[in-house]
Amino acid sequence: MTQINENYLKLKAGYLFPEIGRRVKAYSDANQNAKIIRLGIGDVTLPLAPTIVNAMVDAAKEMGSAGGFHGYGPEQGYSFLIQKIIAHDYTARGVQIAEDEVFVSDGSKCDCGNIQEIFSLDSKIAVVDPVYPVYVDTNVMAGRTGEVGPDGRYANIIYMPATEENNFEPDFPKEKPDIIYLCYPNNPTGMVATKARLTEWVNFAKKIGSIILYDSAYESFIQDPEIPKSIYEIPGAKEVAMEFRSFSKTAGFTGTRCAYLVIPKDLKGKTKGGEEISFNSLWNRRHTTKFNGVSYVTQKGAEAVFSTQGQLEIKEQISYYMENAKLIREGLVKAGYTVFGGMNAPYIWLKTPRGLKSWDFFDELLGTAQVVGTPGSGFGPAGEGYFRLSAFGKREDVISAIERIQKM
């Protein structure tokens, strides 16, 4: 009989969000008249902006003509989109990025999960705790970790706790990692990294010879002009960091699927024999082997995001979600909760009341207020005793959810 990849057996019982779905379904089946408000999974609720829709409709019509039909496109992405990405997200910030350093994909989740393939299995990873589960789980699947311990931590992973005690700003690891996962604005805590702090991370990575995998999927929600939106705003970052970006939350592409990954050619690793190899070339080989590219129609929609009208429309949507975040944050504070985040990110991170465990609070919130959030422990051991609410709901649902929570 064919053998399985036993690394999958190391994974905890279930991926966080399917487990939430399972519990909500069980409650809904037993309480069919309950009006459940979902502020858990970070899925957007506003429709695609008109300018994006029009661009995709035009592209679809183009595909229906003999002269405008597009078959296989470049796996790395069409130049028309990459040029707009570079001009808007990098050149405008004084950062020089070449076209062949940008790789368009179908989502940052995929990129964050797949990127580990170009690193040695001997590489040791460091993650902020709490953390987006994909960073950890995909390394477990690959065989880069040991078994999970009674404390919920996997052997051979360096955990960097981010808690109220250190203002959710993890200390540099004492043990040397090869790969450091950073996410700012942070999912799940909603916290951001200052330019000074990011500079320290870049210098730290340079000093010890590590690579930073920088997930900035929520950069468009930053309200403070002093907070960097790209790690490449930090001098020297192109020598130590890759950056993951997404249209999912920025422009509502959670169901449309489009993102991109920047890997500077200056970013290099070594073979066992000491030869320096560009990670850009490795990812290009992986990307063109295992990925057929994002559809032409989708990329034309993504291009429209950078138009003058497209920018106005998506900024209006971002403002809508950030107003939701403000309502949730202020409503929870009024109800007596200890609250973090929600000022430069669409996530609110709250301390569970009465010392409740995260999943116990999940069940209480669902059972009493019919509101769904995300248990902090699902993001890692340091998330125990915390809870995440998302600002991506509809305004009327957000208002109703806070009213219900205030009555608990």
Side-chain angles (χ1 to χ4, degrees), residues 12-143:
K12 298 174 191 176
Y15 184 61
L16 172 61
F17 300 111
E19 174 61 17
I20 290 173
R22 186 193 68 76
R23 293 196 185 203
V24 172
K25 184 180 185 303
Y27 179 84
S28 181
D29 289 346
N31 301 271
Q32 295 186 7
N33 294 324
K35 185 183 183 305
I36 297 173
I37 298 175
R38 301 170 188 267
L39 301 180
I41 296 176
D43 197 0
V44 295
T45 52
L46 294 175
L48 289 173
T51 297
I52 296 170
V53 173
N54 291 337
M56 295 179 76
V57 169
D58 290 345
K61 289 179 178 177
E62 193 181 338
M63 289 285 283
S65 67
F69 175 75
H70 290 75
Y72 291 124
E75 293 95 342
Q76 301 91 335
Y78 284 100
S79 183
F80 63 75
L81 175 57
I82 292 175
Q83 287 178 5
K84 292 290 176 62
I85 287 170
I86 291 171
H88 182 272
D89 289 348
Y90 296 103
T91 305
R93 296 191 178 106
V95 177
Q96 299 304 309
I97 297 292
E99 276 196 50
D100 58 359
E101 293 178 320
V102 179
F103 299 86
V104 177
S105 75
D106 59 351
S108 280
K109 177 180 180 179
C110 305
D111 289 342
C112 288
N114 293 329
I115 195 67
Q116 51 80 25
E117 292 185 21
I118 65 173
F119 295 99
S120 165
L121 279 178
D122 295 328
S123 298
K124 194 149 195 172
I125 72 165
V127 296
V128 177
D129 179 16
V131 69
Y132 184 43
V134 170
Y135 307 157
V136 170
D137 288 358
T138 52
N139 279 284
V140 174
M141 292 172 178

Side-chain angles (χ1 to χ4, degrees), residues 12-315:
K12 298 174 191 176
Y15 184 61
L16 172 61
F17 300 111
E19 174 61 17
I20 290 173
R22 186 193 68 76
R23 293 196 185 203
V24 172
K25 184 180 185 303
Y27 179 84
S28 181
D29 289 346
N31 301 271
Q32 295 186 7
N33 294 324
K35 185 183 183 305
I36 297 173
I37 298 175
R38 301 170 188 267
L39 301 180
I41 296 176
D43 197 0
V44 295
T45 52
L46 294 175
L48 289 173
T51 297
I52 296 170
V53 173
N54 291 337
M56 295 179 76
V57 169
D58 290 345
K61 289 179 178 177
E62 193 181 338
M63 289 285 283
S65 67
F69 175 75
H70 290 75
Y72 291 124
E75 293 95 342
Q76 301 91 335
Y78 284 100
S79 183
F80 63 75
L81 175 57
I82 292 175
Q83 287 178 5
K84 292 290 176 62
I85 287 170
I86 291 171
H88 182 272
D89 289 348
Y90 296 103
T91 305
R93 296 191 178 106
V95 177
Q96 299 304 309
I97 297 292
E99 276 196 50
D100 58 359
E101 293 178 320
V102 179
F103 299 86
V104 177
S105 75
D106 59 351
S108 280
K109 177 180 180 179
C110 305
D111 289 342
C112 288
N114 293 329
I115 195 67
Q116 51 80 25
E117 292 185 21
I118 65 173
F119 295 99
S120 165
L121 279 178
D122 295 328
S123 298
K124 194 149 195 172
I125 72 165
V127 296
V128 177
D129 179 16
V131 69
Y132 184 43
V134 170
Y135 307 157
V136 170
D137 288 358
T138 52
N139 279 284
V140 174
M141 292 172 178
R144 211 168 266 115
T145 75
E147 300 289 341
V148 65
D151 62 353
R153 293 182 169 89
Y154 285 95
N156 208 41
I157 289 183
I158 301 169
Y159 288 84
M160 303 180 291
T163 62
E164 185 180 4
E165 289 68 35
N166 61 12
N167 197 32
F168 302 98
E169 190 172 276
D171 296 328
F172 299 122
K174 293 181 175 59
E175 187 180 352
K176 179 188 177 301
D178 299 291
I179 303 165
I180 302 169
Y181 286 83
L182 295 179
C183 173
Y184 289 108
N186 186 260
N187 177 19
T189 67
M191 306 301 278
V192 290
T194 64
K195 188 169 186 177
R197 186 57 174 169
L198 270 188
T199 299
E200 291 176 349
W201 275 111
V202 167
N203 292 339
F204 175 76
K206 277 187 174 184
K207 180 181 178 181
I208 67 172
S210 296
I211 297 293
I212 295 173
L213 303 184
Y214 193 74
D215 185 351
S216 60
Y218 300 96
E219 55 81 23
S220 60
F221 293 88
I222 294 173
Q223 308 295 298
D224 185 344
E226 298 300 315
I227 300 298
K229 291 198 168 190
S230 168
I231 196 169
Y232 299 128
E233 295 178 48
I234 309 302
K238 288 201 289 185
E239 299 169 23
V240 295
M242 303 178 187
E243 182 162 275
F244 301 80
R245 291 285 190 96
S246 175
F247 292 94
S248 285
K249 308 308 193 302
T250 298
F253 274 48
T254 52
T256 307
R257 310 309 300 152
C258 195
Y260 64 91
L261 168 60
V262 178
I263 306 183
K265 283 173 283 190
D266 290 341
L267 188 62
K268 296 178 180 178
K270 287 185 178 181
T271 65
K272 288 182 179 179
E275 180 186 1
E276 288 192 350
I277 302 291
S278 166
F279 281 113
N280 179 286
S281 64
L282 295 179
W283 181 251
N284 185 63
R285 187 68 173 87
R286 191 268 175 207
H287 199 63
T288 55
T289 300
K290 293 191 174 186
F291 185 62
N292 254 355
V294 176
S295 76
Y296 175 76
V297 173
T298 298
Q299 291 192 61
K300 290 302 286 186
E303 180 192 27
V305 169
F306 299 109
S307 68
T308 301
Q309 185 60 29
Q311 283 292 295
L312 289 173
E313 290 168 359
I314 67 166
K315 285 177 181 176

